[in-house]
Amino acid sequence: MHDFPWHRRAVLGAMAALGTQALPRFDAFAAVSDPFALGVASGDPAADGFVLWTRLVGPAGAPLPPRAVPVRFEVAEDEAFHRIVRTGTAIARPEAAHSVHVELGGLRPGRTYWYRFHSLSATSPVGRTKTVPANADRLRLAMTSCQHWELGWFRAYRDMIAAAPDLIVQVGDYIYEQAYPDQPKVRSFGAADPTDLDGYRARYALYRSDPDLREAHRLFPWLVTWDDHEVLNDYAALANREGLPPDVFAPRRAAAYQAYFEHMPIRPSLWRSRPAPRLFRGVDWGELASLSMLDTRQYRSAAACAKPYVARNVKLDHCAERLGAGRSMLGDVQEAWLADRLSRERRPWTLLAQGVFFAPLALDGTGDTFWADQWDGYPAGRDRLLDQMAQPSVNCPVVLSGDIHSFWVNDLRRGDAHRGIVGTEIVTSALAAQSPPQGRFGDVLTNNSHIRFSDVDHTGYVLLEMDRQRMTAQLRRIDAHRPDARASVLATVTQDSRAKGHPATVTP
Ligand code: FE
Ligand code: CA
């Protein structure tokens, strides 16, 4: 047995906690070069705590042998770990890919904490995170989506790190399950498209080998939700582009969801306490802003005007089924949860972070041709949400979206244009992926008067900053094909929280 640089009693305690399971044989892992090669992460902050994450791996990011391994964690008020405020031991289990999620409470609000893990004779990099302030007067958050490993460098994270946000909000397509052989590549997946648990796990491990992505996780708390590529492009609940029946697709989706959880700083209390994984949740930034993280994939109604089990992002041309009153993007339970949350809202800013384009996007002059995969495929569900956003309790709602590899700023309206503006949508471009083909969105500015800005030529992310009066959002562009690229401002969106019902201002 090897000597451990950390507390022996904690190891013994952790071993006792393993109960009847075989005790870990540490000598089998002695050859491991860096069990913390995938880094550390924190997320889902509250005023009194957060969740800490790591995952132990073998050489070259390969899974460890199938035995449980104790992992000791330390949380300190200073970077040198002189003032340690929490310690404990978690068990990294093979059935969870040796991932560890430590959920902490009872900490002080508005404070920076440093954390690290010890296991297998190694110590992790020191992570940094922050609790939500009790009296928040500002919030800076970076919003990102769509990072394709092969199609771009993740250098935008360097710019994000320099901006020092309070939170990084990832609204989906964190991984891509799919290669695009026709597009110019900067690097290779080195593996086939994943379809099972091992394949999805390996894809996340590959992603975390990117130093810029890993550093962004180490330095800031993240709030994540998924879109489709975490499982399969364009899937809707259990319908999918390949038309696979539910008995084939459901286990594949469950494997993809499990791998997602194993690699993200998500609270296990939320995820595991229900029969199906739950990702939708609220995080409130004091009395300044509420953030609702929505799941726009798991509970969707079936795709309109499609065959059973089939969901593809096709153009819906005069599809009457699309307009069905019972159609929902969020599903009944999530809709009810969000309706309750919005009815009790009181903060200047109400942020709704979610995967796909929310505003209508008419693709031609008929006004009845739309992409199936966006909220346009579910207009009744969108109308219900707009009604809730228009309640007096909700002051300035801002929908934060991704998915379509282009930047957009949209006025959100109910019904006809004369009823005033309910809120604003900001769509971030891909952090690293191909731009959409020319003409994909038709003559957008002619057919959609509520679209105030669109740019379909650049990758990047959005940096939002708000205080009680003012929100400023920079749409930051960066060329993901160039490893030495630097970011610059493509446009700036400003909104005054006291000017309810007035549109945001966009300055190029
Ligand atoms: Fe995408
Ligand atoms: Ca997507």
Side-chain angles (χ1 to χ4, degrees):
M1 196 134 164
H2 280 256
D3 241 343
F4 285 87
W6 40 280
H7 215 277
R8 190 158 190 98
R9 190 173 295 165
V11 185
L12 298 173
M15 286 175 163
L18 294 174
T20 55
Q21 288 192 30
L23 288 179
R25 278 184 50 218
F26 296 100
D27 55 338
F29 302 149
V32 167
S33 48
D34 181 9
F36 296 106
L38 303 189
V40 299
S42 71
D44 286 7
D48 72 338
F50 34 70
V51 60
L52 304 179
W53 172 93
T54 192
R55 182 192 156 201
L56 306 178
V57 289
L64 287 175
R67 297 183 193 93
V69 182
V71 181
R72 185 160 169 78
F73 64 86
E74 294 174 314
V75 181
E77 289 181 344
D78 64 314
E79 197 169 4
F81 289 81
H82 292 311
R83 296 194 307 281
I84 293 178
V85 294
R86 286 285 189 288
T87 62
T89 301
I91 305 298
R93 298 182 188 280
E95 55 270 30
H98 293 99
S99 63
V100 167
H101 293 77
V102 177
E103 215 168 336
L104 293 170
L107 299 172
R108 287 153 60 186
R111 215 190 180 295
T112 299
Y113 289 92
W114 286 264
Y115 61 94
R116 65 188 174 194
F117 300 94
H118 306 276
S119 190
L120 302 172
S121 306
T123 296
S124 75
V126 172
R128 188 183 72 189
T129 191
K130 195 175 176 180
T131 48
V132 174
N135 298 303
D137 47 16
R138 46 197 322 116
L139 169 62
R140 182 183 298 167
L141 71 82
M143 194 235 319
T144 174
S145 88
C146 298
Q147 43 189 25
H148 196 291
W149 175 268
E150 293 192 329
L151 303 184
W153 301 109
F154 298 168
R155 296 291 197 256
Y157 285 114
R158 294 185 184 181
D159 189 68
M160 224 181 268
I161 289 166
D166 297 299
L167 282 172
I168 295 178
V169 176
Q170 215 282 346
V171 294
D173 293 352
Y174 183 100
I175 60 158
Y176 276 76
E177 90 296 2
Q178 193 181 3
Y180 293 90
D182 305 342
Q183 301 290 330
K185 286 185 196 179
V186 302
R187 51 187 169 177
S188 172
F189 284 133
D193 295 355
T195 57
D196 61 11
L197 186 54
D198 288 347
Y200 286 110
R201 283 172 170 169
R203 181 70 32 113
Y204 283 96
L206 176 72
Y207 267 68
R208 290 291 169 77
S209 71
D210 183 280
D212 297 313
L213 177 60
R214 214 167 51 238
E215 189 70 349
H217 275 291
R218 185 179 77 79
L219 291 172
F220 306 103
W222 285 48
L223 266 172
V224 298
T225 188
W226 51 38
D227 191 35
D228 51 347
H229 285 286
E230 286 83 355
V231 181
L232 180 64
N233 188 20
D234 295 342
Y235 84 94
L238 288 173
N240 59 88
R241 60 186 299 108
E242 296 169 15
L244 302 169
D247 62 325
V248 176
F249 187 67
R252 177 162 166 184
R253 192 184 80 163
Y257 283 4
Q258 184 180 333
Y260 184 81
F261 174 74
E262 286 168 353
H263 292 84
M264 293 294 168
I266 302 167
R267 289 178 181 264
S269 59
L270 182 80
W271 184 271
R272 289 197 183 121
S273 63
R274 291 166 175 85
R278 179 173 146 179
L279 194 56
F280 66 84
R281 63 208 183 280
V283 168
D284 299 326
W285 202 258
E287 294 299 308
L288 179 66
S290 75
L291 256 154
S292 298
M293 302 299 296
L294 307 183
D295 177 347
T296 51
R297 287 288 163 189
Q298 188 172 187
Y299 317 106
R300 284 183 181 213
S301 305
C305 297
K307 292 187 178 131
Y309 312 141
V310 174
R312 283 169 172 261
N313 189 21
V314 293
K315 271 185 193 174
L316 295 177
D317 210 357
H318 302 280
C319 162
E321 190 189 338
R322 185 182 73 88
L323 302 169
R327 294 181 57 71
S328 175
M329 180 65 110
L330 302 177
D332 294 346
V333 173
Q334 186 176 199
E335 275 199 24
W337 166 83
L338 186 57
D340 177 58
R341 216 169 131 67
L342 295 182
S343 71
R344 291 183 289 105
E345 182 56 293
R346 57 180 187 269
R347 298 169 180 86
W349 304 103
T350 298
L351 309 178
L352 305 173
Q354 53 95 46
V356 290
F357 200 96
F358 183 75
L361 184 55
L363 300 172
D364 63 26
T366 69
D368 202 9
T369 304
F370 298 94
W371 288 113
D373 189 59
Q374 306 179 173
W375 282 79
D376 277 332
Y378 306 81
R382 178 171 57 204
D383 288 345
R384 288 191 292 275
L385 181 46
L386 282 168
D387 285 346
Q388 292 158 19
M389 287 160 63
Q391 309 173 77
S393 59
V394 180
N395 187 55
C396 265
V398 182
V399 177
L400 304 175
S401 323
D403 176 52
I404 58 170
H405 303 194
S406 39
F407 289 105
W408 303 75
V409 182
N410 308 322
D411 293 343
L412 299 178
R413 295 181 190 144
R414 274 196 306 170
D416 66 72
H418 306 293
R419 292 178 69 182
I421 286 161
V422 172
T424 300
E425 177 179 24
I426 301 175
V427 184
T428 187
S429 188
L431 184 120
Q434 74 280 26
S435 291
Q438 283 295 322
R440 177 169 181 96
F441 306 113
D443 186 357
V444 280
L445 298 181
T446 302
N447 300 322
N448 300 275
S449 62
H450 56 284
I451 290 175
R452 307 184 58 76
F453 178 86
S454 86
D455 175 285
V456 297
D457 298 321
H458 298 95
T459 48
Y461 76 100
V462 177
L463 186 65
L464 290 103
E465 180 141 26
M466 63 205 74
D467 59 22
R468 295 190 69 83
Q469 273 80 53
R470 197 175 161 84
M471 179 192 76
T472 306
Q474 287 181 7
L475 313 185
R476 294 186 69 77
R477 58 178 268 200
I478 183 167
D479 182 351
H481 292 114
R482 287 180 33 218
D484 59 345
R486 286 180 178 273
S488 60
V489 179
L490 182 65
T492 302
V493 186
T494 53
Q495 177 99 47
D496 187 330
S497 70
R498 296 159 301 184
K500 188 176 160 96
H502 289 265
T505 305
V506 187
T507 10

